Amino acid sequence: MWEHFFKLRSSEQFKTKWRVFLKENIGCCEACPIFFQFVTDYIIERLIKQNYPVHLNTSPSEMEAASLTYEEVNALRYTAGYVIRSLQKKIERSANPLLEELVL
């Protein structure tokens, strides 16, 4: 979707249509080059907000945190330990001359 939007927004045909629109409605056909992109972005943003509203009825402090099971806690601890140990090994094997500065 965004790829198509970007191609449309940056096409010469699209800019020409904006120039025609400006000339017919306000009598001016020249505008800042970024004008077309800004207005188009604003319109798309408003359309998305209108068609896909997000309702946040509770503040973050009122939201209940999901609790982890025993297995999930252990998996999280294992993963965190694995990542830290892997980084330590990589730093130990590194031949970077700035190694002293990298290690806190």
Side-chain angles (χ1 to χ4, degrees):
M1 174 179 135
W2 296 113
E3 182 179 344
H4 294 295
F5 173 68
F6 176 75
K7 286 180 182 177
L8 169 74
R9 184 177 81 160
S10 58
S11 71
E12 196 57 43
Q13 180 183 8
F14 187 71
K15 292 176 188 175
T16 303
K17 288 186 181 194
W18 263 115
R19 286 185 192 104
V20 169
F21 176 81
L22 289 174
K23 186 169 177 91
E24 290 176 359
N25 289 289
I26 61 173
C28 171
C29 63
E30 290 301 317
C32 177
I34 197 101
F35 170 78
F36 310 114
Q37 292 184 6
F38 175 77
V39 174
T40 306
D41 285 350
Y42 183 78
I43 291 170
I44 292 294
E45 180 184 327
R46 299 297 296 179
L47 286 172
I48 289 173
K49 285 181 179 180
Q50 180 181 348
N51 292 319
Y52 304 100
V54 177
H55 303 289
L56 299 175
N57 296 334
T58 59
S59 67
S61 62
E62 296 173 357
M63 295 176 69
E64 205 173 298
S67 61
L68 299 176
T69 65
Y70 179 74
E71 290 82 13
E72 291 170 331
V73 169
N74 284 337
L76 184 59
R77 286 180 179 164
Y78 177 83
T79 305
Y82 177 81
V83 168
I84 291 171
R85 183 66 183 135
S86 294
L87 286 173
Q88 285 177 332
K89 286 181 182 179
K90 188 169 189 161
I91 290 171
E92 289 169 1
R93 290 187 304 240
S94 175
N96 190 329
L98 301 174
L99 183 63
E100 295 279 330
E101 294 176 24
L102 293 174
V103 179
L104 299 176

